[in-house]
Amino acid sequence: MTQYDYLTYTPSADGRVVRIMLDRPETRNAQNRGMLTELHDAFLRAEADDQVRVVVLGGNGAMFSSGHDLGTPVRIEEREPGPNQHWSHQVNGGTRAGAEKRMLQEWQWFFEATRRWRDLRKITVAEVHGKVFSAGLMLMWACDLIVAEENAEFADVVGTRMGMCGVEYFAHPWEFGLRKTKELMLTGDSITAEEAYRLGMVSKLFKREVLAERTDAFAAQIAELPTMTALLIKESVNQTQDIMGFHNALNACFTLHQLNHSHWGEIHHEEIARAKPEDGIPPWKDAPPVTPATRDSVGSLFASSPRSAV
C-alpha cells in the first residue's frame, strides 16, 4: 500500500526519519478501521525500509487522536454488511457472532496490532497535542518516546462514559502508576502535560507552534545513533518490562476488557456493548467536560458544568 486515505507518510530528505500523520481532522483523528489498517501498513513499511531509523507518529488538526471511532457515517459504512464493508470485517472473526466476534476482532485490530507497533524494529516517537483520550493513549504508548505540546491533556474516559475497565491495550499502570491509574479511571479526570512529564511518560514539552520542528530535530538526533545500538537499547528496556510482567498483564487485562463488554452485551442485547444511562453512565455525547485531576478538589461525574471544589 502506497496511497492512504486516512494518514500521510512522509520520509525526511535523507530518508532516516519517516513522519506518519493521522489525517482525519474532521473527526479529530478518530480511529476507524480504515485508519488502523493503514497505520499498520505504514508502520510495517517503515520497518521494512533499511534507510529509516526513526518513525514519528503525529496527527493533523486539533487533536492527536480522540480515540476509537464510535459511529461516524464512515465507521458505520465500513462496519455494516454491504459493498462498502471494510475487508477487515470479513476476516479474523468478523463473520462469527456474539462475544467471539468482538473478542477476535478487537484482539487483532486494537490489541495485537498495538503490541506489534510497540515492538517495531525502529525507534518510534509519538508527537501529541490537544486532548489525548482513551484509544489515543494506546497509539501514543505504543511508541518508544513521547513528545507533547505543553498544553496537552491525557485521560481515559471509557470507565465514566462507557462503563468499561479501560481500553484494550491496558498499559495504564505502567505509564501512570498504580494508584494514579485507579484515580483517573474511576473519575475520568485528566492529567496535564507537565504532570505527564514529571511521571516520566513524556520526554519533551514544546509550544504548539514549534512542536513539529522540535520533534523532527529530536528524531534526527536519535537517528545519528548506530541502528544496532538503538535497537538493542530499545530491546533491553522492552525485554526488562516484559520480564516484569508487562506482556502477561496486557493479556490478562484484555480478557477482562472482553468480560466487561460481554456483561453489557448480555444486559442490553446490543452489538456495541457498553453501559447506558440507566446503568449510571451519562450518554457519551452529553457527558460533561473532562476536568483535570487536582489534589484539593473533587466533583460529580454527572456535572453539567465544570466542577467546583468541595
Side-chain angles (χ1 to χ4, degrees), residues 20-34:
I20 300 172
M21 299 295 288
L22 309 179
D23 195 30
R24 292 187 78 201
E26 71 283 0
T27 68
R28 300 187 176 186
N29 293 320
Q31 301 164 31
N32 62 313
R33 188 62 61 81

Side-chain angles (χ1 to χ4, degrees), residues 1-141:
M1 187 183 297
T2 57
Q3 297 296 320
Y4 300 110
D5 294 321
Y6 304 112
L7 55 84
T8 61
Y9 184 100
T10 309
S12 61
D14 62 7
R16 288 185 165 198
V17 177
V18 162
R19 175 173 282 274
I20 300 172
M21 299 295 288
L22 309 179
D23 195 30
R24 292 187 78 201
E26 71 283 0
T27 68
R28 300 187 176 186
N29 293 320
Q31 301 164 31
N32 62 313
R33 188 62 61 81
M35 173 185 281
L36 291 174
T37 54
E38 288 185 0
L39 182 58
H40 191 64
D41 179 272
F43 268 133
L44 297 189
R45 175 181 170 185
E47 184 179 63
D49 187 343
D50 285 348
Q51 288 295 109
V52 176
R53 297 184 174 206
V54 180
V55 180
V56 174
L57 175 64
N60 293 326
M63 293 174 64
F64 169 68
S65 176
S66 57
H68 286 145
D69 186 338
L70 298 180
T72 67
V74 168
R75 177 66 190 126
I76 293 171
E77 185 176 46
E78 69 180 11
R79 183 180 65 223
E80 299 301 320
N84 295 322
Q85 186 182 50
H86 193 269
W87 62 265
S88 67
H89 284 281
Q90 301 167 19
V91 296
N92 297 113
T95 63
R96 296 182 185 168
E100 180 185 18
K101 174 181 178 178
R102 181 182 301 106
M103 179 179 68
L104 292 174
Q105 284 274 292
E106 291 196 354
W107 185 90
Q108 183 70 33
W109 300 113
F110 298 160
F111 177 70
E112 185 61 18
T114 308
R115 189 159 60 180
R116 176 67 176 88
W117 305 334
R118 178 250 189 182
D119 291 327
L120 204 75
R121 303 293 83 185
K122 308 287 182 180
I123 303 302
T124 53
V125 179
E127 174 193 284
V128 303
H129 66 284
K131 301 179 189 302
V132 185
F133 288 170
S134 302
L137 298 173
M138 290 168 51
L139 298 188
M140 179 184 78
W141 286 339

Side-chain angles (χ1 to χ4, degrees), residues 150-169:
E150 60 184 8
N151 293 321
E153 297 178 45
F154 307 96
D156 189 348
V157 298
V158 300
T160 57
R161 296 190 180 184
M162 294 181 68
M164 294 296 298
C165 59
V167 289
E168 295 80 5
Y169 183 87

